Amino acid sequence: MAKIDLKPLSLAELNALKKRVDKAIERHDKQRKTKALAALKAKAKELGFSLGDLTSAGTSKPKAAISKNNKPAKVTHRHPDDASKTWVGRGPRPQWLRDELAQGKDVADFKV
């Protein structure tokens, strides 16, 4: 690879060069993906499948796993003045709880 001296280039010239390089990289990646996809489709066809047949295989969960995991979590914390403000104890704390904690209260004060 030829070494390019970038020192004499202005900021505008460097930014223009950067855009050209980014576009060249995108084109290169797109060509590689297109070739890879064509090779995968050809191999799938050789084996008697379409690529869609193979990529969708095994993506659905068994019914037992779906019915087990779709129950909503139970509320574990509730605002004392507004019962509609709740938290299940998972994920980030809601703003109302963060506000109360900032006033010096303890998270245990809001347990249900």
Side-chain angles (χ1 to χ4, degrees):
M1 181 169 127
K3 189 172 181 178
I4 301 170
D5 185 15
L6 302 175
K7 289 179 184 177
L9 298 178
S10 69
L11 181 58
E13 292 170 324
L14 288 170
N15 282 325
L17 179 61
K18 181 181 176 192
K19 286 180 185 177
R20 288 181 59 204
V21 169
D22 288 343
K23 285 183 181 181
I25 290 170
E26 286 178 29
R27 278 192 310 272
H28 187 271
D29 284 348
K30 187 176 179 180
Q31 289 173 348
R32 287 181 51 224
K33 287 178 185 177
T34 301
K35 286 180 183 178
L37 184 58
L40 290 173
K41 285 180 179 179
K43 187 63 177 178
K45 186 176 182 180
E46 176 186 321
L47 296 171
F49 299 100
S50 73
L51 189 56
D53 291 340
L54 298 175
T55 57
S56 64
T59 58
S60 61
K61 290 183 177 180
K63 286 186 180 182
I66 293 172
S67 63
K68 257 179 139 175
N69 296 329
N70 67 355
K71 294 178 184 175
K74 292 182 180 178
V75 172
T76 58
H77 299 78
R78 187 178 311 273
H79 191 282
D81 301 326
D82 186 352
S84 68
K85 296 180 179 178
T86 61
W87 183 47
V88 296
R90 297 181 191 161
R93 292 177 175 164
Q95 187 61 50
W96 67 264
L97 183 56
R98 286 183 281 162
D99 292 342
E100 296 289 333
L101 296 177
Q103 294 175 6
K105 296 184 181 174
D106 189 52
V107 74
D109 298 337
F110 304 98
K111 282 249 184 205
V112 174

